[in-house]
Amino acid sequence: MEQTGFRAMGTEVELILDVPPNGWSPGIFATVRQEFARLESILSRFRPDSELSALNRSGRVHAGPDLVRVTELALAARVQTNGRFDPTVHDALVAAGYDRTFEEVGALGTVVATRPDARCGGGVSVDRETGEIVLEPGTHLDFGGIGKGYAVDRACDLLAPYGPCLVSAGGDLAVRGGSWPVGVDAALELTLELTSGAIATSGSDRRRWSTTRGDAHHLIDPQTGAPSETDLVRVTVVGRSAVEAEVLAKALFLAGVERARAEADELEVPAVLTLDDGRILLAGGLS
């Protein structure tokens, strides 16, 4: 096994490669690291020079293929989840005080939270042929977890030709080939064995900060434009890709425990639901 780690997209990234007997190219780890940096330079709302920031400033850009693809994935997820996953939560996040990187927000102490027109559900159009993305006036995008999931999936694409691999970035983890025991919940001592696919976690217990309106977190409910209030603290799901797992985890979190359990069972999505009273429920075929 060969492995390395680095920091990107506001989190720690770990790469593990099960090296085949005929050897490997150590340079692939550097390539993957560069790919994370490249995607961050395109998709980060915190970098004024990113393509996403240019789109949010002007409302219209001719984008490169990665921004086009992630925008399409995010819009498809909005339809799939009936609006529970919504890339137009940018202004709601800013209104809640998350107007800079989480490290900077956490260092500020109590931040001023405003609640102006923190609307979600804004219009976004994508022309795949020309690469033009157009935002409805007053609409701005934040990709958050889906951008990180996209980077994790892309890293797996780069590593997989060299052997079975695992890529972990914060709450997102994906594997290709081999057999990987992945701990899902320490309290339950629950471990899943993955040969492909991904695991993602969404929760209100990690990215939290203090505001003039009380504690806040980064999981915005698009229906209210405010940090969500559900009877769940954390949701972990298994998906076919890191992007899919990210979308499902957030959508189930916002749904609340009863609806989340029913949807996970119906969709046959393995899920671990942690309630605000400390209970842990399994759904989607886990037992």
Side-chain angles (χ1 to χ4, degrees), residues 187-276:
L188 289 180
E189 297 183 352
L190 176 63
T191 299
L192 299 180
E193 188 169 325
L194 291 184
T195 57
S196 65
I199 292 176
T201 298
S202 282
S204 60
D205 55 339
R206 293 182 60 202
R207 292 189 177 237
R208 299 186 67 90
W209 59 94
S210 177
T211 82
T212 52
R213 292 178 175 268
D215 287 349
H217 60 82
H218 71 297
L219 293 175
I220 298 294
D221 183 344
Q223 289 190 339
T224 65
S228 60
E229 298 180 10
T230 78
D231 49 4
L232 288 166
V233 172
R234 187 170 55 255
V235 173
T236 299
V237 304
V238 179
R240 290 169 295 185
S241 67
V243 164
E244 180 184 82
E246 264 285 347
V247 170
L248 289 169
K250 183 172 184 182
L252 293 181
F253 177 85
L254 293 180
V257 61
E258 293 304 325
R259 191 171 175 185
R261 181 162 56 175
E263 289 188 8
D265 288 342
E266 180 182 353
L267 297 172
E268 297 182 340
V269 173
V272 180
L273 314 176
T274 303
L275 282 66
D276 56 11

Side-chain angles (χ1 to χ4, degrees), residues 23-238:
W24 68 303
S25 171
I28 188 58
F29 280 168
T31 298
V32 172
R33 184 169 185 165
Q34 291 167 2
E35 182 69 355
F36 264 93
R38 186 185 72 85
L39 291 173
E40 186 171 9
S41 74
I42 294 169
L43 303 174
S44 173
R45 71 178 171 100
F46 303 118
R47 296 184 55 161
D49 59 343
S50 72
E51 271 193 276
L52 178 59
S53 291
L55 172 60
N56 282 335
R57 280 193 302 270
S58 66
R60 179 191 300 261
V61 296
H62 283 86
D66 292 296
L67 183 59
V68 168
R69 181 58 180 151
V70 175
T71 303
E72 288 180 326
L73 288 169
L75 294 176
R78 181 163 71 174
V79 173
Q80 172 194 345
T81 63
N82 294 316
R84 270 181 270 156
F85 183 96
D86 187 352
T88 68
V89 297
H90 176 284
D91 290 2
L93 285 165
V94 171
Y98 197 0
D99 59 349
R100 61 205 73 197
T101 67
F102 182 70
E103 289 78 6
E104 293 172 307
V105 171
L108 289 176
T110 300
V111 301
V112 175
T114 60
R115 295 285 288 277
D117 298 324
R119 70 185 185 92
C120 305
V124 183
S125 66
V126 180
D127 187 324
R128 184 180 298 180
E129 287 190 8
T130 65
E132 185 177 49
I133 304 174
V134 180
L135 306 181
E136 180 184 1
T139 296
H140 305 93
L141 302 183
D142 173 83
F143 293 125
I146 199 171
K148 187 173 61 172
Y150 181 82
V152 168
D153 288 333
R154 176 63 181 148
C156 281
D157 289 341
L158 293 172
L159 288 174
Y162 294 87
C165 60
L166 178 150
V167 178
S168 175
D172 294 336
L173 180 149
V175 305
R176 300 281 177 83
S179 180
W180 303 89
V182 179
V184 176
D185 193 282
L188 289 180
E189 297 183 352
L190 176 63
T191 299
L192 299 180
E193 188 169 325
L194 291 184
T195 57
S196 65
I199 292 176
T201 298
S202 282
S204 60
D205 55 339
R206 293 182 60 202
R207 292 189 177 237
R208 299 186 67 90
W209 59 94
S210 177
T211 82
T212 52
R213 292 178 175 268
D215 287 349
H217 60 82
H218 71 297
L219 293 175
I220 298 294
D221 183 344
Q223 289 190 339
T224 65
S228 60
E229 298 180 10
T230 78
D231 49 4
L232 288 166
V233 172
R234 187 170 55 255
V235 173
T236 299
V237 304
V238 179

